[in-house]
Amino acid sequence: MALSRNVKKANTHKVVTFNYTLTNKSMQATESLTESNVLLSLEFDKRIESLITQPDTFKNTTGEAGWRQYTPDLRIDYKDLNINYGEIKPYQISQTESFKQKFKLHQRIVKERTGKDLKLFTDKDLTPMKIVQFRQLKTYLRFPLLDNVDSQTLSQLPDNKPFTLGFVESITKQLGVPAYYPMVMLAHQKLRTLKCETITRNTLVEVA
């Protein structure tokens, strides 16, 4: 287990926490609950190959007015070989004019220094119950899907109405896999829940 880098914060009042990401099997630093929650949600983005928090610091070496240095919150490497940098902000802050102006500056800095785009990530769609589900399912991302089990299970599931996770478990247990395997299918998005709620055997799901 390795840290991606040592974080040197310009603002010493920020509290740094470290989050273990399964995406690239390392500890990544975050400076707010919003950053931690966005990082958690990105674990489930199948397009991502790896991600690093606070990857580079761009310093103002030309004396341009208005900024001293800028450190993006994320660098995301996608499986299609595209690379983007990311800035994470609470949604309400992201809607302010002061932030929008500053973000345009940051986009320009990143583009000029790296040739890459800077994308904005917010917590707009990250409801408390979505975060609960992400936390429940993150553990199960560690386990691989079993193609033979998946195909046999999916063939026995109704395609026109929801069913309980317990019903899926009754099928997978007959196939000789652990009782938690339906959670693996949820984590890897073979199945999806109908509601954002704590996941139990009674949770209604459908084929994704």
Side-chain angles (χ1 to χ4, degrees), residues 127 129-134 136-137 162-166 168 182-183 185-208:
T127 64
M129 285 312 304
K130 271 193 178 181
I131 296 301
V132 168
Q133 285 197 343
F134 284 145
Q136 280 187 277
L137 293 172
F163 40 88
T164 66
L165 197 64
V168 183
M183 293 290 281
M185 296 180 72
L186 273 175
H188 288 283
Q189 300 167 51
K190 289 291 184 180
L191 304 172
R192 60 173 169 247
T193 61
L194 268 64
K195 295 181 180 179
C196 278
E197 60 185 12
T198 302
I199 300 169
T200 69
R201 287 184 174 84
N202 294 322
T203 296
L204 290 176
V205 299
E206 63 184 3
V207 176

Side-chain angles (χ1 to χ4, degrees), residues 31-172:
E31 294 182 335
S32 70
L33 182 59
T34 300
E35 288 187 20
S36 294
N37 288 341
V38 168
L39 197 65
L40 175 63
S41 71
L42 291 175
E43 296 272 12
F44 297 88
D45 189 334
K46 291 182 171 294
R47 300 170 300 167
I48 294 176
E49 181 69 32
S50 66
L51 57 84
I52 299 173
T53 62
Q54 313 216 2
D56 302 292
T57 295
F58 306 112
K59 296 186 180 298
N60 184 353
T61 57
T62 63
E64 179 184 1
W67 68 287
R68 182 171 62 84
Q69 62 182 36
Y70 172 60
T71 302
D73 295 317
L74 292 171
R75 171 183 153 138
I76 302 175
D77 291 49
Y78 290 94
K79 292 177 181 177
D80 64 3
L81 303 182
N82 283 329
I83 296 171
N84 282 328
Y85 286 83
E87 184 162 333
I88 302 171
K89 278 290 181 289
Y91 178 71
Q92 288 186 331
I93 292 178
S94 74
Q95 297 305 293
T96 63
E97 286 304 315
S98 60
F99 171 80
K100 290 177 181 179
Q101 292 178 11
K102 186 177 291 186
F103 184 63
K104 286 182 180 179
L105 170 65
H106 293 164
Q107 285 183 307
R108 178 172 62 81
I109 292 168
V110 170
K111 193 70 170 182
E112 289 176 352
R113 298 294 179 92
T114 71
K116 306 301 180 184
D117 292 328
L118 177 68
K119 302 294 185 181
L120 176 63
F121 295 88
T122 75
D123 55 1
K124 181 182 179 182
D125 298 319
L126 294 179
T127 64
M129 285 312 304
K130 271 193 178 181
I131 296 301
V132 168
Q133 285 197 343
F134 284 145
R135 287 174 179 161
Q136 280 187 277
L137 293 172
K138 180 179 176 179
T139 295
Y140 298 98
L141 287 173
R142 300 171 183 267
F143 301 101
L145 288 170
L146 304 172
D147 291 340
N148 186 49
V149 172
D150 294 343
S151 61
Q152 291 186 66
T153 301
L154 294 174
S155 70
Q156 298 181 60
L157 297 175
D159 56 9
N160 57 352
K161 63 179 182 179
F163 40 88
T164 66
L165 197 64
F167 177 68
V168 183
E169 182 183 331
S170 69
I171 296 172
T172 57

